[in-house]
Every structure is written in C-alpha cells, then in structure tokens.
Amino acid sequence: MDLEVSAALTIPASELGWRFSRSSGPGGQHVNTSDSRVELSWNVADSAVLSDYQRLMLLTRLGRRLIAGVITVTASERRSQLRNREIALAKLSDLVAEGLAPEAARRRATKPTRGSNRRRLAAKEQRSATKRQRKRPSAE
C-alpha cells in the first residue's frame, strides 16, 4: 500500500519498513499475546522518489528525528495492529508533509498606532487610579 503524502509525492510501499512488537497500551491480557505495536521506517537518504532539493529539505528539517538517514514513527494507541498501522502511516505522512512545506513569510515589524498607544496609556492610568483608591487614607 503506497503512502500518498501530497499530490506530487507518493512513497511506494517497497520503501517502507514495518516492525511489530508487543504493546504496553490498552487491551488487558490480549496485549501480552499479540504484536499490536507498529514501527514504520522510511529511508530518506536513499529514497528514489525524492528530488535532491526535497531530500536536502527533509534531511535538514527532520535532522533530529533521523538516525542514519532513516525516519521511524511508532504507534501503539489502539488495540488492533491494523488501526496502529493506519495511525503510523498518517504520522509519517504528516511528518514528511511538514518537512516539505514552504517556510512561512517572515513577519515585518511595525510600530504601534498612535491610537493604540493612547488606549494603552489610558488603561494604565485607569489601573493606577484603581490601585491608588485602595490605599488606606492618610491620618491628616
């Protein structure tokens, strides 16, 4: 089953590596006998479907999550292996899509408007007056 990350990128099933193990999550005694935990691995460095630019972006943005160029996601939230496989595929898809997303435009710094500055100072003055009125009256 191929993993469609976006309209332009589909990871073939042959590049995905699956591992299954016993989960510590919900399921009672059933957990002790079934391999419901899923590990999904994909080798970013050796993938044939990525362009050089995409590979470089993923290697730099996901660098902390990669081990020898391989990204691994795990899923053990559900009792069934099938549901955990679906969750792992969704996690990997989201991670890769996030890594390939273009950077957001940088915010241009602006000055506060004269009106907003006036409102801010008026609110400060009001707060100051409220606190002044809480003081104990002088003995005079």
Side-chain angles (χ1 to χ4, degrees):
M1 180 169 76
D2 294 345
L3 175 61
E4 187 173 334
V5 177
S6 66
L9 178 64
T10 302
I11 302 171
S14 59
E15 291 190 9
L16 299 175
W18 296 94
R19 280 185 45 194
F20 306 101
S21 59
R22 292 193 178 136
S23 174
S24 62
Q29 293 175 347
H30 173 72
V31 169
N32 301 331
T33 60
S34 65
D35 293 339
S36 59
R37 182 174 178 265
V38 173
E39 279 186 31
L40 177 60
S41 301
W42 179 51
N43 193 335
V44 176
D46 296 338
S47 179
V49 296
L50 294 174
S51 66
D52 291 336
Y53 175 72
Q54 289 175 326
R55 182 175 289 107
L56 182 64
M57 284 211 12
L58 285 175
L59 289 174
T60 54
R61 287 188 177 174
L62 302 178
R64 295 185 312 256
R65 295 214 39 172
L66 297 175
I67 299 172
V70 176
I71 188 163
T72 303
V73 293
T74 60
S76 60
E77 291 89 20
R78 302 292 177 176
R79 292 175 61 165
S80 91
Q81 187 186 99
L82 182 63
R83 292 283 296 138
N84 285 332
R85 287 174 81 135
E86 293 168 356
I87 292 169
L89 284 169
K91 281 183 180 180
L92 182 63
S93 176
D94 291 345
L95 207 58
V96 172
E98 186 179 313
L100 292 175
E103 286 190 25
R106 297 201 74 114
R107 180 189 170 276
R108 187 183 317 162
T110 58
K111 289 183 180 177
T113 63
R114 195 177 299 151
S116 69
N117 211 13
R118 200 177 308 126
R119 286 189 299 274
R120 181 181 64 84
L121 292 176
K124 284 173 69 94
E125 187 62 41
Q126 178 67 41
R127 183 78 176 144
S128 175
T130 301
K131 290 191 170 200
R132 262 197 315 268
Q133 288 177 351
R134 289 183 190 156
K135 282 187 178 178
R136 191 178 294 269
S138 61
E140 297 172 4

